[in-house]
Amino acid sequence: SLKIFYQMGEFSNVVVSTEEVPGGILLKFTLYKKLRIGAIRWNGNTSFSGKILEDYLKIKVDDELSPGWEVRFKKQLLTFYEKEGYFNVEIDSFTAPFEIPSRRLIHILIKEGNQSTIGRIYFTGDLGIPEKTLFDALRIHAGFYYSKTSVQAYLEELIPIYLRKRFLKIKFGNPILHPQSSGIVDLEIPVEAGPQITISLSFTGKRHYLELTLLKQIAIDDEKSVDESVLEESVKRLIEFYRNEGFPFVEITAERQELSGGKLLRAHFKISEGPRVILQDLSFTGNRSISDRLLRNTISHQKTGLWIPRTIRLPVLTNDIESLMEVYRTNGFLFTEVKEHIRYSEDRKRGFIDFEITEGVRSLIQSVEIEGISPQFLPEVEKIIHTRNKGNYYTGTILQDKIAIISYYHKKGFADATVEATASFNDRKDLAMIRFKVDEGSVIKVGHIQLSGNETTHPKVILREINFKSGDDYQEEILLKNQRMISRLGYFQSVRIHPLNPDEEEIRRDVEILVKERNAGAVEFGAGYADVERFNGFAELSHKNIAGTGRRASIRTEISQIGNKEIMSYTEPWIFDFPIDARSAIYYESKFNPNVDYTSTTLGGSIGIEKSIWEFYKLSLLYQNENVRFIDVPANAQLTDEDKSHTNISSVNPSIIRDTRDNFLNPGTGSLNAVWLRWAAQFMGSETQEVKISLQTSWFFPVGPSATVAFSARGGIAYNFGETLNVPISERFMMGGRSTVRGYSENTLGTPGQTLASDTLSPLGGESMALFNWELRYNFPNSLGLVLFMDSGNVWESYHSGWSSPLKSSVGPGVRYNTPVGPLRLDLGFKLNKEPGESSSEFHFTIGHAF
């Protein structure tokens, strides 16, 4: 009983007494309830908030008030204030009744006094470096308010100065205060610089590498020591470096010297590089079953070609031998041995590698048995496994088949199915009998689905996203897929769908959907510079999960030197409880169109639906209305009456997008394929009647670990019908610029007399276009990248006259710097079809890839 009372956590003491009464004994329990904090009231703390002080004291409402709390709080607060330079602080505290009898209202009264300021600052002890150097770097001076925390932080900033000079044991002591009059304290900073370490290199014979390159291999700076073990590790690293660069005869020794009474420690490395050995040739002996050509393609070492010298790299030889043995293992040779023999020329500048191979016996599969499997599953399992009679024995294939069988059963709902794979050999080891023993277990069903962690989000918002229910077959694969679907909602830090009792042998398994919410509201702003917009910026207020319903809304404004844009948008998910999102937006844009030399203002709105299907597809259908006004349109660009003043365009806009890119900001693999249609007609309220179709296909192929080949093709046509005689200028295609053909400035590519004005070459736009982009993207360390590109494209006056003039092309290099919002991009495009009066190249600066 006592244990139960104490475990309740509500009582500070329980006293048990006994009393004899007629017929027995009376047990009397006296419970002393814990006294707790009901509220905290701070007074006089003008420099620090109550929250800061409570965090320092580590107290909060409902904490127990243990005996002696007043003394403890006062001592801790005095320490806190003294660290911050308040040396005359006075603290008092008392309690008052609270609305709950077991709670108390705590009052803490503080008289802070004045914060002391710093007078003189000086360093004492073994400084190691001139005091002036420290003062030049120190960011506190006389007259600053004293705070021990701040002083120590500023002293930490001096440590890199010592480390650069290899004072690797530097230590700053606690600042010593010397009070002066009028609230001023002099600051004495003890310094123990420790010994200074120097590293020197000497070479016997020829030297191939800069000292800075070799210093990176030495472990002294990492270990902050010149002990014998550190020197040995440094020698080992240097030898490894040289041998990997083709110097197998390198010899390195190291010695430690103490100078100036131990204040200077010198690590001296003596290096004899020896010759760099060029791999003249390599050969294989004993390989009766596998060709030289296949073996050569397996290993890293290759013989020197006509233009590319190859070296012998001893550390890599171990990997090459393992690669050769793995080739043999995949072909059924389990007991192959590989040895390497290296021969050198007399001058030791050329080498020859001979791989001696003892193949051993090849093991073939004599039979494959599958035990414990239900007859109805046997035909399907036999189809998915690759281990076959008379095939080569390879453990990798057997392991893959074991995993495949387990995956098959999990998809059937046998969540606890296990598979054991064993092999037995005959005496000669050339025949193997493979046995897969299956323990199917029982079909596991999904039991109760429990949701937790959603403090704000309504349960319905989460549960409507999952596509499994209680009673379905329990499949890990489906749980993981649903976990990804919920994560994509965007308002959870983490999502985990897992069984509650995975070890219990039950045919129904309860599942928990555990989420951790993030703050779905955001205030974002930024500024930048681009070659067209020049200085620009934006600000956005958004919320992705209004009142926990999954509704999204945002207000965004963008401003640049060529215009401004304001957008309000709202998304209603799952309209009519159907998995389709409804979207609406209102926007206004005023923009000066460079090179076309006119200004347009657009007031518009849209409403429609959007649906994600399968895993990669997105369908949308929008109704859009835009009132476009044109200001100062050049006379030669006015193909319609609307181009002189304004036009109202009401349209239906269906689209389909398939996106399999691994990263939409900087893709390395996958593709983006899309079709957009715009249909404007009078019965929708449009003054312009037109159809506009745009298509895009972009593909990304990895080439090695750091390179990507990217290709994109885009095309489009726009044509008028009914009473509309020409497509308005705002709806025509224009080309040239940072995201199309980069050898041209924005919108200036075309054919003179057709899509470009004959006299001024100002763009008029066209009714059809085609564009092709190729890029080779290479990523360097530290977020840098290099791009080589080629762009080809053109616009044509009428969609009937497509390809009437040739494509225009540009090539060039680009530099990328990856940021969290996409790569910062600099491109220089050179024209390949330069017209008279055109520049030979154009420079572009913006953020994000061209496609």
Side-chain angles (χ1 to χ4, degrees):
S1 297
L2 286 174
K3 183 177 179 181
I4 292 173
F5 278 126
Y6 279 115
Q7 284 178 341
M8 291 173 67
E10 291 296 322
F11 306 108
S12 61
N13 195 15
V14 180
V15 177
V16 184
S17 60
T18 62
E19 180 182 341
E20 292 187 7
V21 295
I25 294 176
L26 173 68
L27 284 179
K28 183 179 180 182
F29 290 85
T30 305
L31 308 178
Y32 295 88
K33 200 158 189 179
K34 287 181 179 179
L35 196 61
R36 296 184 180 276
I37 300 174
I40 305 170
R41 297 288 183 267
W42 296 89
N43 295 283
N45 53 313
T46 57
S47 301
F48 303 97
S49 69
K51 178 69 168 58
I52 292 175
L53 298 177
E54 288 168 20
D55 289 344
Y56 182 79
L57 293 174
K58 296 180 180 178
I59 61 171
K60 61 182 183 297
V61 172
D62 288 338
D63 282 355
E64 181 183 0
L65 275 178
S66 56
W69 66 270
E70 303 98 329
V71 176
R72 187 174 70 255
F73 284 6
K74 181 177 181 179
K75 183 178 179 180
Q76 289 177 306
L77 288 172
L78 285 172
T79 301
F80 172 83
Y81 271 97
E82 286 175 0
K83 283 184 177 180
E84 298 300 324
Y86 294 84
F87 299 108
N88 299 312
V89 65
E90 296 179 9
I91 298 172
D92 194 12
S93 60
F94 63 90
T95 63
F98 194 64
E99 55 194 35
I100 301 175
S102 60
R103 302 288 191 268
R104 299 293 289 175
L105 174 63
I106 294 180
H107 288 273
I108 301 179
L109 310 177
I110 300 175
K111 293 182 179 179
E112 292 180 339
N114 295 321
Q115 186 176 11
S116 296
T117 57
I118 297 173
R120 192 166 68 94
I121 302 174
Y122 56 96
F123 296 89
T124 59
D126 178 17
L127 272 60
I129 60 178
E131 191 174 39
K132 183 180 184 305
T133 303
L134 298 177
F135 278 124
D136 289 343
L138 191 63
R139 294 199 296 131
I140 52 172
H141 307 285
F144 278 41
Y145 285 112
Y146 171 77
S147 165
K148 183 178 180 180
T149 304
S150 299
V151 169
Q152 288 176 333
Y154 289 130
L155 292 179
E156 289 291 324
E157 296 177 358
L158 300 180
I159 290 179
I161 298 175
Y162 279 92
L163 297 180
R164 284 195 293 269
K165 295 181 178 293
R166 288 207 173 86
F167 289 92
L168 304 182
K169 301 290 186 181
I170 173 64
K171 182 183 293 184
F172 289 99
N174 287 324
I176 301 173
L177 304 181
H178 298 280
Q180 305 298 318
S181 59
S182 304
I184 298 175
V185 293
D186 289 346
L187 203 58
E188 178 186 347
I189 303 173
V191 182
E192 287 297 330
Q196 185 178 18
I197 297 173
T198 63
I199 302 174
S200 63
L201 308 173
S202 64
F203 294 83
T204 301
K206 192 174 181 180
R207 172 180 177 176
H208 289 81
Y209 295 97
L210 296 173
E211 184 173 302
L212 182 61
T213 302
L214 299 177
L215 289 177
K216 292 179 180 179
Q217 313 303 321
I218 294 173
I220 290 175
D221 289 343
D222 296 337
E223 301 295 334
K224 295 181 172 54
S225 170
V226 286
D227 292 343
E228 290 298 327
S229 60
V230 175
L231 293 181
E232 290 176 6
E233 176 63 24
S234 299
V235 169
K236 181 180 177 182
R237 291 186 188 183
L238 284 169
I239 291 175
E240 183 85 1
F241 169 78
Y242 270 105
R243 287 181 174 175
N244 206 42
E245 294 294 317
F247 295 88
F249 301 108
V250 64
E251 295 179 359
I252 302 174
T253 60
E255 61 178 353
R256 179 179 183 269
Q257 301 170 339
E258 289 191 13
L259 305 173
S260 302
K263 290 187 176 181
L264 183 63
L265 301 180
R266 182 169 177 261
H268 180 62
F269 294 86
K270 297 178 181 179
I271 302 174
S272 174
E273 293 182 343
R276 170 176 272 163
V277 179
I278 301 299
L279 179 55
Q280 192 70 27
D281 201 358
L282 54 85
S283 63
F284 302 91
T285 58
N287 54 313
R288 297 185 304 274
S289 304
I290 300 179
S291 67
D292 286 9
R293 181 173 176 272
L294 178 58
L295 296 177
R296 285 179 189 272
N297 292 337
T298 301
I299 61 177
S300 299
H301 276 94
Q302 299 294 323
K303 70 177 183 178
T304 295
L306 183 61
W307 303 108
I308 304 176
R310 308 280 188 175
T311 59
I312 292 180
R313 295 164 292 149
L314 295 182
V316 179
L317 270 178
T318 303
N319 298 333
D320 284 348
I321 290 174
E322 179 58 32
S323 298
L324 292 173
M325 294 176 65
E326 181 64 16
V327 169
Y328 271 94
R329 283 194 289 264
T330 59
N331 284 276
F333 293 89
L334 307 183
F335 311 103
T336 297
E337 295 182 359
V338 180
K339 298 179 181 179
E340 89 283 357
H341 304 283
I342 304 176
R343 296 177 288 114
Y344 299 100
S345 62
E346 291 185 5
D347 59 2
R348 302 195 305 177
K349 293 183 178 180
R350 291 175 296 122
F352 309 83
I353 302 177
D354 300 319
F355 290 100
E356 180 185 346
I357 299 173
T358 304
E359 292 184 339
V361 65
R362 170 181 272 170
S363 300
L364 299 177
I365 297 175
Q366 183 180 26
S367 62
V368 180
E369 297 179 2
I370 305 177
E371 298 180 356
I373 189 169
S374 300
Q376 67 268 28
F377 298 144
L378 184 60
E380 294 182 47
V381 170
E382 288 178 338
K383 290 180 182 178
I384 65 174
I385 65 174
H386 296 86
T387 305
R388 293 284 184 268
N389 294 352
K390 299 182 180 180
N392 294 326
Y393 175 88
Y394 179 48
T395 55
T397 303
I398 296 171
L399 178 60
Q400 290 174 3
D401 287 345
K402 176 182 174 180
I403 295 172
I405 295 172
I406 292 174
S407 177
Y408 170 82
Y409 271 97
H410 285 182
K411 291 178 180 178
K412 292 289 185 181
F414 294 84
D416 296 331
T418 60
V419 178
E420 181 183 349
T422 59
S424 58
F425 295 85
N426 62 0
D427 293 339
R428 292 183 57 198
K429 305 292 185 182
D430 61 343
L431 292 176
M433 286 67 72
I434 310 301
R435 178 178 288 110
F436 293 101
K437 187 175 181 181
V438 180
D439 182 0
E440 295 178 341
S442 303
V443 175
I444 306 297
K445 299 290 185 179
V446 176
H448 176 66
I449 300 174
Q450 176 178 313
L451 181 61
S452 59
N454 55 314
E455 297 178 1
T456 302
T457 307
H458 295 180
K460 176 183 177 181
V461 173
I462 302 173
L463 295 176
R464 70 190 179 190
E465 297 292 333
I466 65 175
N467 56 14
F468 68 92
K469 62 184 183 299
S470 180
D472 287 353
D473 289 346
Y474 180 92
Q475 300 182 40
E476 291 283 351
E477 184 179 353
I478 291 179
L479 299 188
L480 290 174
K481 184 176 180 181
N482 280 266
Q483 184 172 292
R484 292 193 298 269
M485 290 167 58
I486 297 174
S487 296
R488 282 200 293 264
L489 292 175
Y491 33 85
F492 298 114
Q493 287 186 36
S494 61
V495 179
R496 184 178 175 220
I497 303 180
H498 63 105
L500 284 174
N501 301 300
D503 298 328
E504 292 185 4
E505 296 182 0
E506 299 287 345
I507 61 171
R508 296 180 73 85
R509 189 157 294 171
D510 294 341
V511 172
E512 181 184 38
I513 304 174
L514 177 63
V515 300
K516 184 177 181 181
E517 294 179 327
R518 62 158 53 105
N519 188 355
V523 177
E524 300 174 89
F525 55 89
Y529 183 88
D531 59 325
V532 177
E533 295 85 356
R534 291 172 285 176
F535 290 104
N536 59 84
F538 78 93
E540 182 174 14
L541 174 65
S542 64
H543 203 289
K544 295 181 179 179
N545 189 18
I546 300 173
T549 62
R551 298 184 176 100
R552 303 187 295 274
S554 67
I555 302 174
R556 181 183 177 94
T557 181
E558 302 172 3
I559 188 168
S560 71
Q561 290 186 258
I562 64 170
N564 61 281
K565 186 175 184 179
E566 288 74 38
I567 311 168
M568 290 192 298
S569 64
Y570 174 78
T571 301
E572 177 72 28
W574 284 72
I575 55 171
F576 309 118
D577 287 330
F578 196 72
I580 290 180
D581 294 347
R583 295 169 46 197
S584 61
I586 299 174
Y587 49 91
Y588 173 81
E589 182 178 23
S590 176
K591 179 181 178 181
F592 174 73
N593 295 272
N595 301 313
V596 190
D597 293 333
Y598 77 92
T599 299
S600 63
T601 63
T602 304
L603 176 62
S606 64
I607 187 170
I609 56 175
E610 184 177 86
K611 166 70 174 173
S612 294
I613 59 174
W614 302 303
E615 189 170 358
F616 305 114
Y617 289 84
K618 180 179 287 187
L619 307 178
S620 68
L621 178 63
L622 293 177
Y623 171 78
Q624 189 173 35
N625 180 272
E626 293 182 332
N627 188 283
V628 186
R629 294 187 176 274
F630 305 104
I631 303 171
D632 298 330
V633 178
N636 54 17
Q638 296 177 8
L639 303 183
T640 69
D641 291 337
E642 291 83 354
D643 293 339
K644 301 176 184 179
S645 56
H646 73 278
T647 185
N648 187 73
I649 304 175
S650 296
S651 60
V652 172
N653 301 264
S655 67
I656 179 170
I657 299 173
R658 182 181 185 271
D659 189 354
T660 63
R661 295 172 296 176
D662 59 339
N663 184 329
F664 75 96
L665 291 175
N666 194 8
T669 184
S671 66
L672 173 68
N673 302 277
V675 179
W676 297 274
L677 174 66
R678 183 176 176 88
W679 175 35
Q682 285 184 348
F683 75 89
M684 303 178 201
S686 179
E687 297 176 3
T688 298
Q689 300 192 91
E690 62 163 305
V691 173
K692 187 175 183 178
I693 304 172
S694 301
L695 305 95
Q696 177 179 351
T697 180
S698 301
W699 296 82
F700 307 90
F701 305 96
V703 185
S706 301
T708 301
V709 173
F711 166 76
S712 179
R714 285 171 274 181
I717 60 172
Y719 61 89
N720 53 286
F721 63 91
E723 299 178 4
T724 301
L725 300 179
N726 293 97
V727 177
I729 189 171
S730 61
E731 297 296 294
R732 298 175 217 158
F733 295 105
M734 295 188 185
M735 192 172 293
R738 63 198 180 198
S739 61
T740 55
V741 181
R742 281 162 277 189
Y744 296 79
S745 59
E746 200 73 11
N747 298 330
T748 60
L749 185 150
T751 304
Q754 298 181 24
T755 56
L756 296 176
S758 301
D759 49 355
T760 62
L761 295 182
S762 59
L764 308 177
E767 294 182 358
S768 62
M769 59 82 73
L771 173 65
F772 304 94
N773 304 97
W774 295 263
E775 286 190 352
L776 174 61
R777 303 172 180 174
Y778 190 86
N779 294 314
F780 294 101
N782 301 321
S783 301
L784 290 174
L786 177 67
V787 167
L788 300 176
F789 63 83
M790 179 176 181
D791 308 320
S792 298
N794 210 340
V795 292
W796 295 279
E797 184 178 15
S798 169
Y799 73 93
H800 295 294
S801 61
W803 306 94
S804 59
S805 53
L807 299 178
K808 293 191 175 184
S809 303
S810 66
V811 297
V815 177
R816 305 288 184 267
Y817 181 79
N818 292 324
T819 73
V821 294
L824 192 67
R825 174 160 62 99
L826 294 89
D827 288 331
L828 179 60
F830 296 91
K831 294 181 177 70
L832 298 182
N833 314 86
K834 181 176 175 294
E835 300 281 353
E838 290 183 332
S839 63
S840 59
S841 62
E842 291 292 337
F843 175 79
H844 300 281
F845 175 63
T846 187
I847 199 164
H849 282 295
F851 59 91

